[in-house]
Structures are given as C-alpha cells and as structure tokens.
C-alpha cells in the first residue's frame, strides 16, 4: 500500500488553497495538512470543505496546554472527522492521555473514526545547539527524540512527528509498530529554507517513515503538480 505524502497547505487564506488544488486533476486523492496559519484564518470550515472534496486531513495544530483544555479541544477536533492531529509531547503523559481521551469522545459523538494522535517531538527547525543552549536539554538530539517518542507511545499516541535523522534509532528503540511522520523533506536541488534537519523522500522511506510532509517545495513551485509528482516518485522508490 502506498504511504501518504502530506501536502502542507501553508497559505494565507482558503482562496489560495482553492487555486492550488485546481492544479490537480483529482484533489480528492490528496492527503493535505492544515496548519495554524490556515486554520486560524478560515477555521473549522476549511476542514469541512476539504473533507467534502474527499481529501484526507492532517490537522496540525500542535496542542500544548493543561490536560483539561487539551482534552476538551480534542473533543471538538474529533467531531471534525480529520484523519491525523498533533499535540506536543513536551506537555507530558497526562496531557497526551487526555488528548487521546478527548479525540475518542469527540469522534464517538459523531460516529466518526478516531483520528490518529501524533506527538510532536523536536521541531525540524531546531538545531542541536538550540536544544542544548536555549532549551537546556542535557540529552543529545536523537536521545531526546527517542525519549519523547517512548513517552508518546506509552501515553496512547499512534505515532510521532520526527526528522528522518532520528528514524534508525526510533525504529530500533521504540518499534516499527508506530507511525513516524517526517517533515523537513527536501530533494537535493530544493532550498532548505528554515529547516535544519532535512532528508530526501527516499531516505525517509528507507529509514522507516510512515508518511512525509512536503510544503513549500511543492506549494511555491511554478509547476506544483510536476513538483508533487517528483516527490511522490522519489518517495515510492523501491529498495527500502
């Protein structure tokens, strides 16, 4: 079964989203990521509209608050019928457990499947220097990501968001029965931008990724469909 490429719809408003999706002959085949910029501008209606088009929805709001607030927020998200949603693992086990409980309650209320809960570990824009010198983390990057992934798994998450660089250690220490979703994906010829820990789609797949997230290299391309096909072809190379 083909693993998903999650297209990050990092646009300022839904009109730009519609213009982008019109480039594709069948946008209902896409898995799309709705992040904070678009959601805060357009609200839940953007989820409902894209879901009606047939898109699979990754709602990436990175919830991080006290357990009660996160649980009640996740109930509302569970009612939207999205496929994937995120919460920060740094919120701790109580918050993550509450997040999953809220998703289950919300989805049950509207008779929808429970979305996969993905724990955000360390952002791919975060360098090892930032981790050590600003966040005062005593662990090395890979060790910190593994520690947070273990916490996520024990707390009921279905997977984590992680860079491809930590995947070999994650699959070994956390297991292959967990979904690893990898942002920071760039082909060698594409600009890295503000990402610090990047990898190609092929490398992500070979090291155990369940899905990859691709944004600006596709959405800001002069030919988005061609760029998407290029990433999809590299993602689906055999040899993993």
């Amino acid at each position: 079964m083909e693993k998903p490429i999650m297209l990050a719809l990092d646009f300022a408003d839904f009109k730009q989203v519609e213009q982008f999706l019109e480039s594709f002959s069948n946008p209902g085949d896409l898995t799309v990521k709705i992040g904070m910029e678009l959601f805060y501008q357009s609200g839940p209606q953007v989820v409902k509209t894209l879901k009606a088009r047939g898109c699979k929805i990754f709602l990436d709001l990175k919830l991080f608050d006290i357990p009660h607030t996160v649980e009640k927020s996740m109930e509302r998200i569970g009612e939207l019928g999205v496929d994937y949603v995120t919460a920060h693992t740094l919120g701790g086990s109580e918050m993550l457990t509450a997040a999953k409980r809220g998703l289950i309650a919300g989805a049950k209320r509207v008779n929808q499947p429970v979305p996969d809960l993905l724990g955000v570990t360390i952002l791919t824009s975060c360098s090892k220097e930032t981790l050590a010198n600003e966040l005062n983390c005593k662990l090395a990057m890979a060790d910190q990501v593994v520690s947070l992934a273990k916490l996520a798994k024990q707390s009921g998450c279905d997977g984590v968001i992680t860079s491809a660089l930590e995947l070999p250690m994650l699959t070994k220490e956390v297991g292959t029965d967990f979904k690893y979703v990898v942002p920071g994906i760039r082909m060698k010829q594409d600009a890295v931008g503000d990402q610090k820990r990047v990898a190609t789609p092929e490398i992500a797949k070979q090291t155990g990724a369940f899905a990859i997230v691709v944004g600006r290299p596709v959405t800001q391309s002069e030919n988005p469909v061609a760029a998407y096909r290029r990433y999809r072809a590299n993602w689906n190379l055999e040899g993993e």
Side-chain angles (χ1 to χ4, degrees):
M1 184 176 68
E2 203 170 283
K3 296 180 178 181
I5 293 181
M6 298 171 169
L7 275 178
L9 301 180
D10 295 328
F11 297 103
D13 56 53
F14 190 65
K15 183 178 180 180
Q16 293 179 41
V17 172
E18 290 184 308
Q19 292 172 345
F20 171 75
L21 293 178
E22 284 173 2
S23 303
F24 294 84
S25 58
N26 192 357
D29 289 339
L30 301 175
T31 299
V32 297
K33 181 175 87 72
I34 299 170
M36 288 181 277
E37 180 182 11
L38 182 58
F39 190 82
Y40 292 159
Q41 196 279 333
S42 301
Q45 187 58 44
V46 70
V47 175
K48 297 173 184 177
T49 301
L50 291 175
K51 185 175 171 62
R53 282 192 170 202
C55 297
K56 289 190 174 180
I57 309 294
F58 171 24
L59 186 59
D60 185 22
L61 300 183
K62 299 181 176 69
L63 271 64
F64 190 1
D65 211 315
I66 63 172
H68 176 77
T69 297
V70 170
E71 180 174 356
K72 293 305 177 183
S73 299
M74 284 296 189
E75 283 188 27
R76 303 286 83 79
I77 290 173
E79 293 173 348
L80 291 176
V82 301
D83 300 277
Y84 311 94
V85 67
T86 50
H88 269 287
T89 55
L90 291 172
S93 60
E94 186 179 353
M95 190 205 79
L96 293 172
T97 301
K100 188 59 179 286
R101 188 165 59 240
L103 280 178
I104 292 171
K108 183 178 180 181
R109 190 175 297 140
V110 295
N111 197 30
Q112 291 278 357
V114 179
D116 281 344
L117 177 60
L118 304 173
V120 178
T121 55
I122 301 296
L123 300 176
T124 50
S125 60
C126 182
S127 67
K128 62 181 180 181
E129 290 78 16
T130 300
L131 186 71
N133 301 328
E134 295 182 14
L135 304 183
N136 297 310
C137 182
K138 296 179 181 179
L139 296 177
M141 180 70 75
D143 292 328
Q144 176 68 2
V145 170
V146 167
S147 176
L148 291 172
K150 287 180 177 179
L151 175 69
K153 191 174 186 180
Q154 293 163 2
S155 303
C157 290
D158 302 283
V160 289
I161 311 295
T162 177
S163 94
L165 303 183
E166 287 80 52
L167 281 174
M169 197 168 173
L170 283 166
T171 54
K172 179 181 178 182
E173 297 201 22
V174 183
T176 56
D177 59 335
F178 206 45
K179 294 176 179 175
Y180 302 107
V181 176
V182 179
I185 295 296
R186 295 290 188 274
M187 299 285 278
K188 292 180 179 178
Q189 64 266 45
D190 291 331
V192 171
D194 56 0
Q195 300 285 4
K196 301 293 192 301
R197 292 158 30 243
V198 302
T200 65
E202 182 183 11
I203 292 299
K205 185 175 183 180
Q206 289 174 349
T207 48
F210 161 76
I212 56 173
V213 182
V214 183
R216 286 166 287 183
V218 173
T219 58
Q220 296 183 11
S221 171
E222 292 184 1
N223 190 333
V225 174
Y228 173 73
R229 288 174 178 166
R230 181 161 54 91
Y231 271 82
R232 182 175 176 178
N234 192 261
W235 172 235
N236 288 307
L237 283 174
E238 297 299 327
E240 73 272 26

